[in-house]
Amino acid sequence: MKTTRRQGWTPAKLREHREAHGLTLEGAGDQLRQTAERHGLAVPAANFQTLWGHENGTIYPGPHYRRAYCLLYQASEPDLGFRLPLPGESQKADIVISELPAPSDPAADNAAAQVIEEAFTKVSVDGITDSGSPQAALRARVVDAWRRRHGAGDPKPILVLVGGYAGSGKTEFSRFLSDITGWAFLDKDSLTRSMAERLLISLGSDANDRHTELYLSEVRPLEYRCLMESAWDNLNCGTSAILSAPFITELRDEAWFTRLENRCAAKGIDVAAIWVRCDPESMREYIEFRGAARDAWKLANWEQYVAGLDVDNPPATAHLTVDNRLGAAISLADQTRDALKRILT
Protein backbone atom coordinates (compact mmCIF):
# COMPACT_ATOMS: atom_id res chain seq x y z
CA MET A 1 0.00 0.00 0.00
CA LYS A 2 1.22 3.51 -0.77
CA THR A 3 2.23 5.35 2.33
CA THR A 4 3.91 8.43 3.71
CA ARG A 5 7.19 8.31 5.60
CA ARG A 6 6.93 6.51 8.93
CA GLN A 7 9.05 7.27 11.97
CA GLY A 8 12.07 5.00 12.09
CA TRP A 9 11.40 3.42 8.70
CA THR A 10 14.70 2.74 6.89
CA PRO A 11 13.83 0.85 3.68
CA ALA A 12 17.46 0.32 2.64
CA LYS A 13 17.94 -2.17 5.48
CA LEU A 14 15.68 -4.66 3.71
CA ARG A 15 17.92 -4.61 0.65
CA GLU A 16 21.00 -5.05 2.85
CA HIS A 17 19.52 -8.20 4.43
CA ARG A 18 18.43 -9.59 1.07
CA GLU A 19 21.86 -9.08 -0.46
CA ALA A 20 23.55 -10.52 2.63
CA HIS A 21 21.54 -13.71 2.02
CA GLY A 22 22.57 -13.74 -1.65
CA LEU A 23 19.00 -13.37 -2.92
CA THR A 24 17.71 -11.59 -6.01
CA LEU A 25 14.39 -9.79 -5.78
CA GLU A 26 12.74 -12.74 -7.52
CA GLY A 27 14.47 -15.23 -5.21
CA ALA A 28 13.50 -13.25 -2.11
CA GLY A 29 9.89 -13.22 -3.32
CA ASP A 30 9.90 -17.01 -3.71
CA GLN A 31 11.39 -17.45 -0.24
CA LEU A 32 8.94 -14.95 1.25
CA ARG A 33 5.94 -16.81 -0.20
CA GLN A 34 7.23 -20.15 1.12
CA THR A 35 7.85 -18.66 4.59
CA ALA A 36 4.38 -17.10 4.63
CA GLU A 37 2.74 -20.38 3.63
CA ARG A 38 4.53 -22.31 6.40
CA HIS A 39 3.35 -19.83 9.03
CA GLY A 40 -0.18 -19.23 7.74
CA LEU A 41 0.46 -15.64 6.62
CA ALA A 42 -1.14 -13.83 3.69
CA VAL A 43 1.38 -12.13 1.41
CA PRO A 44 -0.43 -11.64 -1.91
CA ALA A 45 1.90 -11.27 -4.89
CA ALA A 46 5.29 -10.96 -3.14
CA ASN A 47 6.63 -10.32 -6.64
CA PHE A 48 9.79 -8.41 -7.42
CA GLN A 49 7.88 -5.15 -8.05
CA THR A 50 6.35 -5.26 -4.56
CA LEU A 51 9.67 -6.12 -2.91
CA TRP A 52 11.40 -3.39 -4.91
CA GLY A 53 8.80 -0.93 -3.58
CA HIS A 54 9.47 -2.11 -0.01
CA GLU A 55 13.22 -1.66 -0.42
CA ASN A 56 12.96 1.75 -2.09
CA GLY A 57 10.47 3.25 0.33
CA THR A 58 7.48 3.66 -1.98
CA ILE A 59 5.43 0.92 -0.28
CA TYR A 60 5.38 0.33 3.48
CA PRO A 61 4.97 -3.44 4.10
CA GLY A 62 1.72 -4.53 5.76
CA PRO A 63 1.77 -6.55 9.02
CA HIS A 64 1.87 -9.97 7.34
CA TYR A 65 4.65 -8.89 5.00
CA ARG A 66 6.66 -7.55 7.95
CA ARG A 67 6.23 -10.78 9.92
CA ALA A 68 7.22 -12.85 6.89
CA TYR A 69 10.34 -10.74 6.38
CA CYS A 70 11.28 -11.15 10.06
CA LEU A 71 10.88 -14.93 9.82
CA LEU A 72 12.76 -15.16 6.51
CA TYR A 73 15.76 -13.09 7.63
CA GLN A 74 15.63 -14.18 11.31
CA ALA A 75 15.56 -10.53 12.40
CA SER A 76 13.33 -8.18 14.36
CA GLU A 77 11.30 -5.28 12.94
CA PRO A 78 13.86 -2.66 14.11
CA ASP A 79 16.67 -4.76 12.56
CA LEU A 80 14.89 -4.64 9.21
CA GLY A 81 14.23 -0.91 9.43
CA PHE A 82 10.46 -1.07 9.79
CA ARG A 83 10.38 1.01 12.95
CA LEU A 84 12.41 2.26 15.90
CA PRO A 85 12.91 -0.18 18.79
CA LEU A 86 10.50 0.12 21.69
CA PRO A 87 11.85 1.18 25.11
CA GLY A 88 13.68 -1.81 26.57
CA GLU A 89 13.42 -3.82 23.35
CA SER A 90 16.63 -5.47 22.24
CA GLN A 91 17.75 -4.36 18.78
CA LYS A 92 18.51 -7.97 17.86
CA ALA A 93 15.86 -10.62 18.53
CA ASP A 94 17.00 -12.90 21.35
CA ILE A 95 14.50 -15.62 20.48
CA VAL A 96 14.65 -16.05 16.78
CA ILE A 97 4.30 -23.42 17.09
CA SER A 98 1.41 -25.18 14.97
CA GLU A 99 3.40 -28.23 14.07
CA LEU A 100 5.68 -28.93 16.99
CA PRO A 101 7.45 -32.26 17.14
CA ALA A 102 7.54 -34.24 20.35
CA PRO A 103 10.50 -33.52 22.66
CA SER A 104 13.33 -35.82 21.65
CA ASP A 105 15.07 -35.97 25.01
CA PRO A 106 14.97 -34.35 28.49
CA ALA A 107 17.66 -31.84 27.56
CA ALA A 108 15.65 -30.59 24.58
CA ASP A 109 12.51 -30.45 26.73
CA ASN A 110 14.30 -28.33 29.32
CA ALA A 111 15.73 -26.03 26.66
CA ALA A 112 12.27 -25.56 25.15
CA ALA A 113 10.82 -24.79 28.58
CA GLN A 114 13.46 -22.11 29.08
CA VAL A 115 12.60 -20.51 25.73
CA ILE A 116 8.91 -20.40 26.72
CA GLU A 117 9.74 -18.82 30.09
CA GLU A 118 11.87 -16.16 28.39
CA ALA A 119 9.14 -15.40 25.86
CA PHE A 120 6.51 -14.94 28.56
CA THR A 121 8.79 -12.65 30.53
CA LYS A 122 9.51 -10.52 27.47
CA VAL A 123 5.91 -10.06 26.33
CA SER A 124 4.69 -9.14 29.82
CA VAL A 125 4.48 -5.42 30.51
CA ASP A 126 7.34 -4.57 32.92
CA GLY A 127 8.51 -8.20 32.78
CA ILE A 128 8.06 -10.87 35.43
CA THR A 129 10.31 -10.61 38.47
CA ASP A 130 8.32 -11.77 41.51
CA SER A 131 8.26 -15.57 41.59
CA GLY A 132 5.07 -15.45 43.66
CA SER A 133 3.16 -13.11 41.33
CA PRO A 134 0.08 -14.10 39.26
CA GLN A 135 2.17 -13.55 36.12
CA ALA A 136 4.81 -16.01 37.32
CA ALA A 137 2.14 -18.53 38.31
CA LEU A 138 0.58 -18.38 34.84
CA ARG A 139 3.98 -18.68 33.19
CA ALA A 140 4.72 -21.76 35.30
CA ARG A 141 1.38 -23.26 34.34
CA VAL A 142 2.10 -22.79 30.62
CA VAL A 143 5.56 -24.33 30.94
CA ASP A 144 4.09 -27.23 32.92
CA ALA A 145 1.52 -27.76 30.15
CA TRP A 146 4.36 -27.91 27.64
CA ARG A 147 6.12 -30.58 29.71
CA ARG A 148 2.93 -32.59 30.11
CA ARG A 149 1.71 -32.18 26.56
CA HIS A 150 3.23 -35.47 25.45
CA GLY A 151 2.54 -37.18 28.75
CA ALA A 152 -0.54 -37.57 30.95
CA GLY A 153 -1.91 -34.05 30.40
CA ASP A 154 -2.69 -31.36 32.93
CA PRO A 155 -3.93 -32.72 36.27
CA LYS A 156 -6.13 -29.67 36.77
CA PRO A 157 -7.90 -27.78 33.95
CA ILE A 158 -7.51 -24.04 33.54
CA LEU A 159 -9.73 -21.43 31.91
CA VAL A 160 -7.74 -18.66 30.20
CA LEU A 161 -9.51 -15.49 29.05
CA VAL A 162 -7.54 -13.49 26.46
CA GLY A 163 -9.08 -10.05 26.02
CA GLY A 164 -8.26 -6.82 24.22
CA TYR A 165 -9.64 -4.26 21.81
CA ALA A 166 -10.27 -5.02 18.14
CA GLY A 167 -7.00 -5.47 16.26
CA SER A 168 -4.91 -5.78 19.42
CA GLY A 169 -3.61 -9.25 18.50
CA LYS A 170 -5.53 -11.29 21.07
CA THR A 171 -6.57 -14.04 18.66
CA GLU A 172 -3.05 -14.61 17.42
CA PHE A 173 -1.64 -14.62 20.95
CA SER A 174 -4.33 -17.14 21.92
CA ARG A 175 -3.20 -19.38 19.06
CA PHE A 176 0.36 -19.04 20.33
CA LEU A 177 -0.73 -20.23 23.79
CA SER A 178 -2.65 -23.12 22.27
CA ASP A 179 0.33 -24.12 20.14
CA ILE A 180 2.52 -24.41 23.24
CA THR A 181 0.09 -25.96 25.66
CA GLY A 182 -2.29 -28.01 23.53
CA TRP A 183 -5.23 -26.40 25.37
CA ALA A 184 -8.47 -25.96 23.41
CA PHE A 185 -8.66 -22.65 21.54
CA LEU A 186 -12.14 -21.07 21.30
CA ASP A 187 -12.59 -17.82 19.37
CA LYS A 188 -15.83 -15.87 19.86
CA ASP A 189 -16.11 -14.76 16.25
CA SER A 190 -15.54 -18.24 14.86
CA LEU A 191 -18.16 -19.71 17.20
CA THR A 192 -20.87 -17.06 16.93
CA ARG A 193 -20.41 -14.80 13.89
CA SER A 194 -22.83 -16.61 11.57
CA MET A 195 -25.48 -16.81 14.28
CA ALA A 196 -24.97 -13.17 15.30
CA GLU A 197 -25.24 -11.87 11.74
CA ARG A 198 -28.43 -13.82 11.05
CA LEU A 199 -29.94 -12.69 14.36
CA LEU A 200 -29.14 -9.03 13.66
CA ILE A 201 -30.85 -9.26 10.27
CA SER A 202 -33.91 -10.89 11.82
CA LEU A 203 -34.08 -8.02 14.32
CA GLY A 204 -34.06 -5.49 11.49
CA SER A 205 -30.46 -4.36 11.88
CA ASP A 206 -27.30 -4.56 9.79
CA ALA A 207 -25.47 -7.91 9.88
CA ASN A 208 -22.23 -6.02 10.62
CA ASP A 209 -23.64 -3.94 13.48
CA ARG A 210 -21.32 -4.09 16.49
CA HIS A 211 -21.94 -0.71 18.09
CA THR A 212 -25.68 0.01 18.47
CA GLU A 213 -27.73 -0.55 21.60
CA LEU A 214 -29.60 -3.34 19.79
CA TYR A 215 -26.41 -5.34 19.30
CA LEU A 216 -25.07 -4.57 22.77
CA SER A 217 -28.27 -5.54 24.60
CA GLU A 218 -29.77 -8.30 22.43
CA VAL A 219 -26.95 -10.04 20.57
CA ARG A 220 -23.68 -9.55 22.43
CA PRO A 221 -24.85 -11.34 25.63
CA LEU A 222 -25.80 -14.38 23.54
CA GLU A 223 -22.39 -14.43 21.86
CA TYR A 224 -20.61 -14.53 25.20
CA ARG A 225 -23.05 -17.11 26.55
CA CYS A 226 -22.25 -19.40 23.59
CA LEU A 227 -18.55 -18.88 24.13
CA MET A 228 -18.71 -19.63 27.86
CA GLU A 229 -20.93 -22.69 27.39
CA SER A 230 -18.43 -24.08 24.87
CA ALA A 231 -15.69 -23.51 27.42
CA TRP A 232 -17.63 -25.36 30.14
CA ASP A 233 -18.13 -28.32 27.80
CA ASN A 234 -14.35 -28.62 27.54
CA LEU A 235 -13.59 -27.87 31.18
CA ASN A 236 -16.14 -30.39 32.47
CA CYS A 237 -14.27 -33.04 30.47
CA GLY A 238 -10.98 -32.00 32.05
CA THR A 239 -9.75 -30.08 28.98
CA SER A 240 -8.26 -26.65 29.57
CA ALA A 241 -9.62 -23.86 27.34
CA ILE A 242 -8.33 -20.56 25.96
CA LEU A 243 -11.08 -18.06 25.09
CA SER A 244 -10.35 -15.23 22.67
CA ALA A 245 -12.82 -12.33 22.79
CA PRO A 246 -12.68 -8.60 23.66
CA PHE A 247 -14.00 -9.24 27.22
CA ILE A 248 -13.96 -5.46 27.65
CA THR A 249 -17.08 -5.24 29.81
CA GLU A 250 -16.48 -8.55 31.58
CA LEU A 251 -12.89 -8.02 32.70
CA ARG A 252 -13.65 -4.50 33.92
CA ASP A 253 -16.49 -5.86 36.05
CA GLU A 254 -14.77 -7.23 39.16
CA ALA A 255 -18.04 -8.69 40.45
CA TRP A 256 -18.48 -10.68 37.23
CA PHE A 257 -14.94 -11.95 37.40
CA THR A 258 -15.31 -12.91 41.06
CA ARG A 259 -18.42 -14.94 40.23
CA LEU A 260 -16.47 -16.70 37.48
CA GLU A 261 -13.60 -17.47 39.86
CA ASN A 262 -16.01 -18.84 42.46
CA ARG A 263 -17.75 -21.08 39.93
CA CYS A 264 -14.42 -22.39 38.69
CA ALA A 265 -13.13 -22.95 42.22
CA ALA A 266 -16.20 -25.04 43.01
CA LYS A 267 -15.35 -27.26 40.03
CA GLY A 268 -11.62 -27.47 40.75
CA ILE A 269 -10.70 -25.25 37.80
CA ASP A 270 -8.04 -22.53 37.74
CA VAL A 271 -8.69 -19.16 36.06
CA ALA A 272 -6.31 -16.72 34.37
CA ALA A 273 -7.06 -13.46 32.55
CA ILE A 274 -4.66 -12.03 29.97
CA TRP A 275 -5.06 -8.54 28.49
CA VAL A 276 -3.36 -7.76 25.15
CA ARG A 277 -2.42 -4.09 25.09
CA CYS A 278 -1.84 -2.29 21.78
CA ASP A 279 -1.64 1.28 20.52
CA PRO A 280 -4.39 2.77 18.31
CA GLU A 281 -2.13 3.15 15.27
CA SER A 282 -1.21 -0.54 15.26
CA MET A 283 -4.80 -1.61 15.95
CA ARG A 284 -6.04 0.41 13.00
CA GLU A 285 -3.42 -1.16 10.74
CA TYR A 286 -4.44 -4.69 11.78
CA ILE A 287 -8.13 -3.85 11.36
CA GLU A 288 -7.57 -2.38 7.89
CA PHE A 289 -5.45 -5.35 6.87
CA ARG A 290 -7.99 -8.01 7.82
CA GLY A 291 -10.71 -6.15 5.90
CA ALA A 292 -13.65 -7.52 7.93
CA ALA A 293 -17.08 -5.99 7.19
CA ARG A 294 -17.88 -5.86 10.91
CA ASP A 295 -15.11 -3.26 11.32
CA ALA A 296 -16.59 -0.78 8.82
CA TRP A 297 -18.20 1.43 11.49
CA LYS A 298 -14.97 1.58 13.51
CA LEU A 299 -12.91 2.70 10.52
CA ALA A 300 -15.52 5.20 9.35
CA ASN A 301 -15.75 6.73 12.85
CA TRP A 302 -12.20 6.10 14.04
CA GLU A 303 -11.73 9.17 16.21
CA GLN A 304 -15.05 8.60 17.96
CA TYR A 305 -14.25 4.90 18.42
CA VAL A 306 -10.73 5.48 19.79
CA ALA A 307 -12.00 8.17 22.19
CA GLY A 308 -13.97 5.47 23.99
CA LEU A 309 -10.95 3.18 24.50
CA ASP A 310 -8.67 3.06 27.53
CA VAL A 311 -5.57 1.65 25.85
CA ASP A 312 -3.12 2.51 28.65
CA ASN A 313 -4.85 0.86 31.60
CA PRO A 314 -5.52 -2.89 31.61
CA PRO A 315 -8.49 -4.22 33.61
CA ALA A 316 -7.77 -4.74 37.29
CA THR A 317 -8.74 -8.40 36.92
CA ALA A 318 -5.97 -9.15 34.39
CA HIS A 319 -3.29 -11.51 35.72
CA LEU A 320 -0.94 -10.72 32.83
CA THR A 321 -0.77 -7.79 30.39
CA VAL A 322 0.89 -8.56 27.07
CA ASP A 323 2.66 -5.69 25.30
CA ASN A 324 1.73 -5.84 21.61
CA ARG A 325 2.58 -2.28 20.63
CA LEU A 326 3.69 -2.13 16.99
CA GLY A 327 3.58 -5.91 16.73
CA ALA A 328 6.20 -6.60 19.43
CA ALA A 329 4.50 -9.51 21.22
CA ILE A 330 3.21 -11.29 18.14
CA SER A 331 6.61 -11.01 16.50
CA LEU A 332 8.12 -12.61 19.60
CA ALA A 333 5.55 -15.40 19.44
CA ASP A 334 6.73 -16.21 15.91
CA GLN A 335 10.34 -16.16 17.04
CA THR A 336 9.52 -18.49 19.92
CA ARG A 337 7.83 -20.97 17.58
CA ASP A 338 10.93 -21.08 15.39
CA ALA A 339 13.26 -21.41 18.39
CA LEU A 340 11.27 -24.37 19.70
CA LYS A 341 11.34 -26.07 16.31
CA ARG A 342 15.14 -25.68 16.13
CA ILE A 343 15.57 -27.06 19.63
CA LEU A 344 13.37 -30.08 19.07
CA THR A 345 14.58 -31.14 15.64
Side-chain angles (χ1 to χ4, degrees):
M1 57 182 173
K2 302 290 183 184
T3 185
T4 56
R5 178 63 56 185
R6 302 204 176 203
Q7 186 177 17
W9 182 24
T10 312
K13 288 189 177 182
L14 263 185
R15 175 176 52 78
E16 294 171 2
H17 277 76
R18 175 176 59 79
E19 293 176 347
H21 283 73
L23 294 172
T24 63
L25 282 170
E26 292 85 349
D30 290 340
Q31 294 286 334
L32 204 65
R33 287 191 295 273
Q34 294 174 25
T35 299
E37 184 177 355
R38 286 197 303 271
H39 292 270
L41 303 175
V43 286
N47 52 36
F48 74 92
Q49 295 100 328
T50 301
L51 270 62
W52 183 88
H54 293 166
E55 294 183 4
N56 285 274
T58 58
I59 305 173
Y60 183 71
H64 282 206
Y65 266 110
R66 296 201 303 274
R67 289 179 55 214
Y69 275 124
C70 290
L71 292 166
L72 174 61
Y73 295 133
Q74 294 294 290
S76 65
E77 288 200 2
D79 290 328
L80 295 178
F82 295 139
R83 59 176 171 82
L84 296 173
L86 301 173
E89 180 183 18
S90 61
Q91 185 71 7
K92 183 67 178 176
D94 297 323
I95 303 176
V96 286
I97 5 191
S98 52
E99 301 170 353
L100 291 176
S104 55
D105 56 59
D109 194 18
N110 289 334
Q114 184 176 356
V115 168
I116 296 168
E117 285 187 348
E118 291 174 355
F120 249 74
T121 300
K122 287 178 178 293
V123 301
S124 176
V125 173
D126 298 326
I128 300 175
T129 55
D130 184 359
S131 59
S133 66
Q135 297 97 321
L138 178 58
R139 179 184 62 186
R141 187 64 190 272
V142 170
V143 172
D144 182 63
W146 161 261
R147 294 185 182 277
R148 294 174 179 272
R149 185 176 178 187
H150 303 280
D154 283 322
K156 186 178 182 181
I158 183 172
L159 173 62
V160 182
L161 311 182
V162 181
Y165 295 113
S168 62
K170 57 186 178 296
T171 297
E172 199 155 3
F173 193 77
S174 297
R175 292 186 189 279
F176 168 57
L177 278 185
S178 183
D179 286 344
I180 293 173
T181 60
W183 296 340
F185 166 56
L186 304 175
D187 180 77
K188 180 181 73 70
D189 284 338
S190 298
L191 285 171
T192 68
R193 182 184 304 152
S194 297
M195 176 275 296
E197 290 177 353
R198 186 65 187 89
L199 180 56
L200 283 164
I201 292 173
S202 70
L203 293 173
S205 184
D206 180 355
N208 299 311
D209 172 18
R210 297 296 184 275
H211 65 282
T212 68
E213 181 60 29
L214 174 67
Y215 167 76
L216 295 174
S217 62
E218 298 295 333
V219 179
R220 186 184 185 278
L222 297 177
E223 290 183 299
Y224 279 84
R225 180 175 177 180
C226 289
L227 179 64
M228 296 306 299
E229 290 300 326
S230 297
W232 290 121
D233 285 342
N234 281 274
L235 294 164
N236 289 335
C237 295
T239 301
S240 296
I242 302 166
L243 309 188
S244 175
F247 286 116
I248 296 167
T249 301
E250 289 74 15
L251 291 183
R252 296 196 184 280
D253 184 347
E254 296 190 36
W256 179 90
F257 194 74
T258 298
R259 290 194 299 272
L260 177 65
E261 287 183 310
N262 291 340
R263 181 178 179 183
C264 287
K267 293 175 174 286
I269 298 167
D270 288 336
V271 183
I274 298 175
W275 183 258
V276 182
R277 189 182 76 178
C278 194
D279 58 282
E281 181 184 11
S282 297
M283 288 190 291
R284 176 158 190 162
E285 182 174 5
Y286 283 124
I287 290 173
E288 288 177 339
F289 188 82
R290 71 188 182 191
R294 65 186 183 280
D295 295 323
W297 183 88
K298 298 183 185 72
L299 294 174
N301 302 272
W302 186 253
E303 295 303 324
Q304 177 185 346
Y305 170 68
V306 171
L309 308 184
D310 185 2
V311 296
D312 296 322
N313 300 301
T317 56
H319 297 94
L320 177 75
T321 299
V322 169
D323 184 358
N324 191 30
R325 295 170 299 167
L326 297 171
I330 303 306
S331 173
L332 186 62
D334 282 329
Q335 295 165 31
T336 305
R337 289 184 177 100
D338 280 357
L340 291 172
K341 286 181 179 178
R342 291 200 301 272
I343 288 170
L344 301 174
T345 54

